[in-house]
Amino acid sequence: MLKIGCHLSSSKGFLAMAETAAKIDGTTFQFFTRNPRGAKAKALDPDDVNAFLKRAEELGIGPIVAHAPYTLNACGAEERVREFALETMADDLARMEYLPGNYYNFHPGSHVKQGAETGIRLIAETLNAVLRPEQRTTVLLETMAGKGSEVGRSFEELKEILDRVELSDHMGVCLDTCHVWDAGYDIADHLDEVLTEFDRIIGLHRLKAVHLNDSQTPLGARKDRHAKIGEGFIGAQALVRVVSHPALKDLPFVLETPNELDGYGKEIAFFREMCG
C-alpha cells in the first residue's frame, strides 16, 4: 500500500494527527517536534501517545516522520547556536522513544562562511554526541537545495557526514524532490541516473523517506521554493514516476506543498489514482 501523507500541525496531539491523516486517505504524516521557529517543546501526553499508537495500527499509519525545528543548526558559526542544536536534538530523540520505530528528520545546517568541511565535521560531532546505541529512532539527513552556505547540497556531502557518524546504523537520508532538483539533480528526465548515483555514493539502503514537492524554480536554481504538484518545473508526471519507482515505492512520501488540508487531500488522491 502506498505510504503517502502530508505535514500536519501537532498542536492537538498525535491522536488528532492520525485521525486527520486518515480523513484525507493518508497513511503517514510529518510533524514538527516543536515550534519550527522557536525552542520550547510541548509536553508529551502519555495517554495521547498510547491512544495514537493503537489508532495508528488500526488505520495502517506509519512510519511517521518528525521534523526538527528550522532554528536547529548543528554547524552554526556561534557556539551557542551549536549548543542549542545539540540540546534540542537530544531532547527530541528522547521524546521520540515514546514513538519507537519512526524517523527524525533535520536539515544538516549552514556553515556560515566556515566552509563545507568544517560544517560537515561539526554536524557529525553533534550526531556522535546525541545518538545512543539503544535508541529506536532513525535520524535522517535531508537533501538540501544548496542556497547560501547549506551543507547537504550534494550526495557527496551527505556521505561525508554519514561516514563520520559512529552509530551509523541509526542514520538515513530523506530525499526532498524540490531540493534535489534545485541542487541540480534532474529527477524529471534522468530519475534512474540520479538514483544510481545516490546508490553509488550513499547507498539506497540509506534512503528512508521522501519529501514530495514540485519546484517553483528551474533545475539547479538553488532556491528551495516548493510548488504544488504539477504547478512547478518538475511536473506531475515526473513525480508520479518518483512515487512509483521500484526503488522508492515502499518508502513513506510526505507532501510539503503549499496547501491547506483539502489541497493535500487532492494531491494524495491524485497519486493513489496514478500509482494504484
Side-chain angles (χ1 to χ4, degrees):
M1 182 179 185
L2 177 61
K3 290 290 182 182
I4 188 167
C6 63
H7 190 99
L8 297 174
S9 169
S10 60
S11 61
K12 293 184 180 179
F14 289 102
L15 179 59
M17 285 192 285
E19 299 292 1
T20 300
K23 188 173 166 180
I24 56 172
D25 202 18
T27 44
T28 185
F29 61 83
Q30 179 176 267
F31 65 98
F32 280 117
T33 58
R34 58 192 68 215
N35 187 317
R37 303 291 179 187
K40 191 173 181 180
K42 182 181 177 182
L44 288 175
D45 178 348
D47 291 337
D48 174 59
V49 170
N50 291 333
F52 161 74
L53 293 172
K54 180 180 179 182
R55 188 64 174 139
E57 185 175 1
E58 293 172 351
L59 294 170
I61 291 176
I64 60 173
V65 182
H67 199 303
Y70 294 135
T71 45
L72 190 153
N73 185 2
C75 62
E78 298 180 29
E79 185 176 357
R80 64 176 180 82
V81 173
R82 298 194 300 272
E83 287 178 353
F84 169 77
L86 191 152
E87 292 168 1
T88 299
M89 194 178 294
D91 183 49
D92 282 348
L93 289 177
R95 292 157 60 87
M96 285 297 293
E97 286 304 290
Y98 289 89
L99 302 163
N102 291 297
Y103 299 125
Y104 177 75
N105 177 74
F106 78 104
H107 293 182
S110 297
H111 61 72
V112 197
K113 299 182 180 179
Q114 299 176 96
E117 178 60 28
T118 296
I120 288 165
R121 175 179 59 80
L122 291 170
I123 294 163
E125 287 176 359
T126 297
L127 288 165
N128 284 329
V130 300
L131 295 179
R132 297 288 179 265
E134 67 276 11
Q135 75 180 55
R136 296 169 290 174
T137 300
T138 301
V139 177
L140 307 183
L141 297 167
E142 184 171 338
T143 58
M144 302 309 294
K147 60 183 174 63
S149 61
E150 284 180 339
V151 178
R153 69 182 66 191
S154 69
F155 299 157
E156 287 85 357
E157 287 187 354
L158 295 175
K159 181 181 187 299
E160 285 190 52
I161 297 170
L162 292 168
D163 284 349
R164 295 178 185 224
V165 176
E166 295 163 4
L167 298 175
S168 63
D169 57 323
H170 290 317
M171 295 295 302
V173 173
C174 175
L175 186 148
D176 186 299
T177 55
C178 171
H179 293 179
V180 294
W181 170 265
D182 280 22
Y185 293 98
D186 187 356
I187 58 171
D189 294 323
H190 298 282
L191 177 61
D192 283 339
E193 292 90 334
V194 171
L195 293 178
T196 296
E197 184 173 357
F198 185 99
D199 191 35
R200 176 180 62 82
I201 296 169
I202 298 176
L204 280 169
H205 67 285
R206 293 278 195 189
L207 189 51
K208 303 297 184 181
V210 176
H211 285 168
L212 198 58
N213 306 295
D214 215 322
S215 175
Q216 294 182 29
T217 55
L219 178 68
R222 295 189 174 182
K223 295 291 186 182
D224 187 9
R225 293 175 183 166
H226 296 195
K228 295 178 182 179
I229 303 301
E231 296 185 11
F233 282 86
I234 302 174
Q237 292 307 312
L239 291 168
V240 167
R241 290 193 291 273
V242 170
V243 172
S244 58
H245 194 283
L248 307 177
K249 63 183 181 65
D250 294 327
L251 300 178
F253 293 90
V254 176
L255 291 156
E256 292 183 326
T257 49
N259 268 309
E260 300 296 332
L261 193 62
D262 61 340
Y264 284 129
K266 290 175 183 176
E267 290 183 342
I268 290 171
F270 168 75
F271 282 110
R272 290 209 180 281
E273 179 181 357
M274 297 300 293
C275 301

